[in-house]
C-alpha cells in the first residue's frame, strides 16, 4: 500500500520525489518570488515603470531641444544628462559617416567625376557638418562653398546627364541637417538671410545647367525653408518660455520687495505711537518744569522752553510723516494694513504689548484653536515699548499662521525673561485630521517678513522652521536694552533686504 502511494506521489525510497534532492526553504522562497515576478500584474507594473522612465527621458529631451543655446555653447548644452548633451554630436557623426563614402561613390561612379575630385568634394561637403553643433554659421559657409564648387565641377563630368543638378541628393541631405542646426541656434533674421542666399545661388546656377539634368535648386529651396521654419519656431518657443520664466522671477522679486517695504511701513506706523508718547512726555515735563521747580534761574527756564519747543516741532514732523505712511492707496487697497489699521479708530487705538497676550490667546481659543499660554511674571513691565510691541506682534502673527496652516493643532505660547532678553516661543503640532487646511500658495508673505523686521528692529534673533512631527516653531530673542545695537544690526542687514525677501517665498506666510 505504501509503495503504491509512493508511486502515485512520484516519490522514491528516501522521501525525495523523482530521486532529486529536496530544495531548501530559502530556495523555495526564491522560486516562489521569481514566479511572483512573472505574474501578469508584476509584468504590467514593471512595464508601466519603464514607460514612465521613457516618457520622462523624452520630456527632458524635448525640453533640451526647446532650450536655446548660447553663442559659444553646443546644442543641448543645458540638458540634464550626459547622453543627451552628447546626442547632437552622435546624430551629426552618423550623418557624416553615412554621407562621406556615399558622396564619393556616387560622384565617381554615377556622375563620372575623377576619383581625386570626388574624394575632395565628399570631404568638403560632409565633414564641416561636425562644426554645425557649435558653429553652425561657419559650417554653413563651408558647406555652401563646397556644394557650389561641386555644382560647377559637375558641369564637366562625363555622366552628369540624367542626374540631379546643381545639388546632388547627398548634398541635399547634408544641407538639410545643416539647416536644422542653424534653425535651433540663430535668429529669425539670420535664418531668412540663409534661406534667401540659398535660393539666389540656386537660381544663378540654374542659368547654366548641363544638358539633360534634373534641377534640384527649387527642391532644396523649399525643403530648406520648411526645415528652417520648423526649427526656428521650436527655438522661438524656447525663447518665449525662457522670457516668461525670467519675467516670473522678476515679478516674484518685486513682490517680495514690495511686501518687505509694506511691512516696514506698517511697523513704522505702529512705532510712531511709542515715540510720540515719549516726545509728549518730554514736552509736558519741559513746559511744567518752571512751575514744578520754583526759583529756577532765567537761563535754565529758557533752556527748558527751548527743549519744549524742539519737542513740539519734532511731534509736528512725526505727524506729517505719519500722514504719508497712512495715506490711502490710490486703488483703494490697504496693502499690509490689518483690520482697523486704516480707519480712524485703528489709528487712535493704543498699541498692544505683552500684557495683552492673555486676551489674544483667549480670543484664539474662542475661535476653536487650542492654545496654552505661559507668561512669566513681570515680563510685561520689564520690556521697553518697542520690545513690548514686537513681542505681541510676533505672537499674533504666529497664532494667525497656526489658524491658517494648522487649524486644530495644539499650540503652546511662552514668554519669559532670561538675563537681559525676552524669549518668545510659539510651538504648534500638526493640523487636526479633520481640519480644512488652506492650499499651499505664494500667500502674502507678511507673517515671517514682519517677524524678521521686528526682531531686526530690536537687534534680536529669530529662528523659525518645521518640526519633525509636522508642527512648526517660532522662537525670538529680543534684548531688553537694545540701545545702539539695534541700529547697528539694522544697518548691517540693510543691504540684504531683497535677498531675504526672496527667501520668504514658499515659507509659511
Amino acid at each position: 500500500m505504501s509503495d503504491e502511494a509512493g508511486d502515485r506521489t512520484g516519490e522514491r525510497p528516501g522521501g525525495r520525489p523523482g530521486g532529486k534532492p529536496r530544495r531548501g526553504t530559502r530556495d523555495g522562497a526564491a522560486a516562489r518570488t521569481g514566479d511572483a515576478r512573472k505574474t501578469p500584474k508584476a509584468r504590467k507594473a514593471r512595464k508601466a515603470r519603464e514607460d514612465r522612465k521613457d516618457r520622462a527621458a523624452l520630456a527632458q529631451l524635448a525640453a533640451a531641444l526647446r532650450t536655446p543655446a548660447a553663442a559659444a555653447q553646443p546644442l543641448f548644452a543645458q540638458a540634464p544628462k550626459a547622453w543627451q548633451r552628447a546626442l547632437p554630436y552622435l546624430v551629426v557623426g552618423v550623418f557624416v559617416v553615412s554621407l562621406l563614402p556615399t558622396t564619393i561613390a556616387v560622384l565617381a561612379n554615377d556622375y563620372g567625376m575623377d576619383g581625386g575630385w570626388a574624394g575632395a568634394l565628399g570631404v568638403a561637403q560632409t565633414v564641416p557638418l561636425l562644426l554645425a553643433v557649435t558653429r553652425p554659421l561657419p559650417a554653413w559657409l563651408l558647406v555652401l562653398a563646397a556644394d557650389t564648387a561641386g555644382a560647377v565641377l559637375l558641369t564637366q563630368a562625363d555622366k552628369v546627364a540624367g542626374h540631379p543638378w546643381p545639388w546632388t541628393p547627398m548634398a541635399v541631405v547634408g544641407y538639410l541637417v545643416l539647416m536644422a542646426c542653424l534653425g535651433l541656434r540663430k535668429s529669425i533674421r539670420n535664418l531668412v538671410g540663409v534661406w534667401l542666399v540659398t535660393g539666389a545661388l540656386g537660381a544663378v546656377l540654374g542659368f547654366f545647367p548641363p544638358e539633360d539634368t534634373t534641377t534640384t535648386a527649387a527642391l532644396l529651396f523649399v525643403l530648406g525653408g520648411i526645415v528652417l521654419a520648423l526649427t526656428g519656431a521650436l527655438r522661438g518657443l524656447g525663447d518665449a518660455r525662457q522670457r516668461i520664466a525670467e519675467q516670473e522671477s522678476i515679478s516674484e522679486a518685486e513682490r517680495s520687495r514690495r511686501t518687505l517695504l509694506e511691512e516696514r511701513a506698517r511697523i513704522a506706523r505702529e512705532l510712531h505711537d511709542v515715540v510720540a508718547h515719549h516726545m509728549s512726555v518730554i514736552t509736558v515735563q519741559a513746559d511744567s518744569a518752571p512751575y514744578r521747580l520754583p526759583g529756577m534761574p532765567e537761563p535754565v527756564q529758557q533752556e527748558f522752553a527751548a527743549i519744549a519747543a524742539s519737542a513740539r516741532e519734532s511731534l509736528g514732523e512725526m505727524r506729517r510723516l505719519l500722514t504719508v505712511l497712512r495715506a490711502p492707496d490710490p486703488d483703494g487697497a490697504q496693502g499690509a494694513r490689518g483690520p482697523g489699521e486704516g480707519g480712524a479708530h485703528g489709528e487712535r487705538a493704543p498699541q498692544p504689548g505683552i500684557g495683552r497676550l492673555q486676551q489674544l490667546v483667549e480670543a484664539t481659543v474662542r475661535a476653536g484653536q487650542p492654545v496654552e499660554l505661559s507668561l512669566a511674571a513681570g515680563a510685561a513691565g520689564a520690556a521697553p515699548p518697542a520690545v513690548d510691541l514686537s513681542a505681541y506682534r510676533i505672537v499674533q502673527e504666529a497664532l494667525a499662521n497656526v489658524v491658517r496652516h494648522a487649524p486644530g493643532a495644539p499650540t503652546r505660547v511662552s514668554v519669559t525673561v532670561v538675563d537681559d532678553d525676552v524669549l518668545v516661543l510659539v510651538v504648534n503640532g500638526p493640523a487636526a485630521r479633520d481640519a480644512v487646511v488652506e492650499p499651499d500658495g505664494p500667500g502674502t508673505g507678511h507673517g515671517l517678513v514682519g517677524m524678521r523686521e521686528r526682531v531686526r528692529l530690536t537687534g534680536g534673533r529669530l529662528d523659525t522652521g518645521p518640526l519633525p512631527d509636522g508642527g512648526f516653531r517660532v522662537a525670538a530673542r529680543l534684548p531688553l536694552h537694545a540701545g545702539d545695537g539695534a541700529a547697528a544690526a539694522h544697518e548691517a542687514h540693510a543691504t540684504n533686504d531683497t535677498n531675504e525677501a526672496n527667501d520668504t517665498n514658499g515659507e509659511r506666510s
Side-chain angles (χ1 to χ4, degrees):
M1 184 67 182
S2 60
D3 295 338
E4 294 178 358
D7 293 338
R8 285 195 300 269
T9 57
E11 293 186 356
R12 293 184 180 181
R16 295 186 177 92
K20 295 181 181 180
R22 182 175 297 172
R23 294 183 178 179
T25 305
R26 184 176 301 175
D27 295 337
R32 289 192 298 271
T33 304
D35 293 339
R37 291 178 180 175
K38 296 179 181 179
T39 60
K41 185 176 181 180
R43 287 195 299 269
K44 185 177 180 181
R46 184 167 60 254
K47 188 176 184 301
R49 289 194 297 269
E50 293 175 356
D51 292 342
R52 285 195 297 270
K53 290 181 180 179
D54 294 340
R55 287 195 296 269
L58 290 176
Q60 291 178 352
L61 189 60
L65 189 63
R66 291 192 303 266
T67 303
Q73 289 181 342
L75 290 173
F76 293 9
Q78 301 180 13
K81 295 184 179 181
W83 71 267
Q84 295 174 349
R85 294 190 293 270
L87 187 60
Y89 295 98
L90 179 62
V91 172
V92 174
V94 169
F95 275 102
V96 171
V97 172
S98 302
L99 291 176
L100 178 57
T102 305
T103 302
I104 297 174
V106 170
L107 291 178
N109 299 329
D110 295 350
Y111 285 85
M113 183 177 287
D114 181 73
W117 284 110
L121 282 177
V123 172
Q125 290 178 354
T126 58
V127 173
L129 294 177
L130 296 173
L131 186 62
V133 179
T134 54
R135 305 285 182 181
L137 203 56
W140 170 72
L141 293 174
L142 293 175
V143 172
L144 184 64
D147 290 346
T148 305
V152 174
L153 292 176
L154 285 177
T155 59
Q156 306 300 323
D158 298 335
K159 304 178 182 180
V160 67
H163 292 88
W165 187 90
W167 319 122
T168 63
M170 297 73 63
V172 171
V173 174
Y175 204 84
L176 294 180
V177 173
L178 188 58
M179 293 294 100
C181 296
L182 277 168
L184 293 174
R185 294 293 300 273
K186 295 302 178 180
S187 63
I188 299 298
R189 180 181 300 178
N190 291 333
L191 299 184
V192 172
V194 167
W195 184 55
L196 293 179
V197 169
T198 302
L201 187 57
V204 171
L205 291 174
F207 287 106
F208 311 98
E211 294 182 359
D212 299 330
T213 55
T214 303
T215 179
T216 54
L219 176 65
L220 182 61
F221 183 69
V222 173
L223 292 180
I226 293 174
V227 173
L228 289 177
L230 292 178
T231 53
L234 194 60
R235 174 187 167 83
L237 177 62
D239 289 337
R241 292 193 176 189
Q242 189 173 17
R243 286 193 295 269
I244 290 174
E246 292 175 355
Q247 290 298 325
E248 289 178 351
S249 178
I250 295 174
S251 299
E252 189 66 22
E254 291 296 332
R255 187 192 67 83
S256 301
R257 179 67 176 176
R258 184 174 64 252
T259 297
L260 181 64
L261 296 178
E262 289 175 354
E263 194 63 24
R264 285 186 173 178
R266 186 165 75 99
I267 295 174
R269 291 194 301 268
E270 294 178 351
L271 288 180
H272 163 268
D273 298 335
V274 177
V275 179
H277 169 72
H278 292 289
M279 296 297 295
S280 300
V281 172
I282 293 173
T283 304
V284 172
Q285 289 179 339
D287 283 333
S288 61
Y291 304 100
R292 292 183 290 104
L293 303 173
M296 185 179 298
E298 184 65 23
V300 178
Q301 294 182 11
Q302 294 177 358
E303 186 68 22
F304 275 109
I307 293 174
S310 299
R312 279 191 293 270
E313 183 179 357
S314 300
L315 277 174
E317 295 293 338
M318 288 187 62
R319 291 191 184 97
R320 282 190 287 271
L321 175 62
L322 185 65
T323 302
V324 175
L325 292 176
R326 285 179 173 167
D329 187 82
D331 299 330
Q334 294 299 325
R337 300 180 188 181
E341 291 183 20
H345 177 73
E347 292 179 0
R348 293 184 175 87
Q351 295 297 342
I354 297 176
R356 292 180 56 183
L357 285 178
Q358 184 65 40
Q359 302 177 14
L360 176 63
V361 170
E362 291 176 355
T364 307
V365 171
R366 286 194 300 269
Q369 189 73 29
V371 182
E372 297 180 0
L373 175 63
S374 176
L375 184 60
V387 174
D388 195 34
L389 174 61
S390 297
Y392 178 87
R393 291 302 189 192
I394 289 173
V395 174
Q396 185 184 38
E397 296 285 0
L399 291 180
N401 283 337
V402 173
V403 173
R404 184 181 302 113
H405 299 285
T411 307
R412 291 182 291 105
V413 178
S414 173
V415 179
T416 58
V417 178
V418 178
D419 296 334
D420 291 335
D421 296 328
V422 175
L423 303 181
V424 179
L425 180 64
V426 181
V427 180
N428 66 272
R433 292 184 178 180
D434 56 347
V436 179
V437 183
E438 289 187 2
D440 294 336
T444 60
H446 289 273
L448 293 182
V449 173
M451 294 181 194
R452 185 175 288 110
E453 287 301 308
R454 292 181 188 280
V455 170
R456 181 185 298 178
L457 174 70
T458 60
R461 289 180 295 174
L462 178 68
D463 183 19
T464 62
L467 298 176
D469 61 351
F472 202 83
R473 174 177 56 86
V474 174
R477 179 183 291 269
L478 309 175
L480 293 175
H481 307 289
D484 296 333
H490 184 79
E491 293 296 332
H493 294 282
T495 57
N496 297 327
D497 290 342
T498 303
N499 293 335
E500 291 197 0
N502 291 335
D503 293 339
T504 61
N505 295 335
E507 293 180 342
R508 177 182 286 192
S509 61

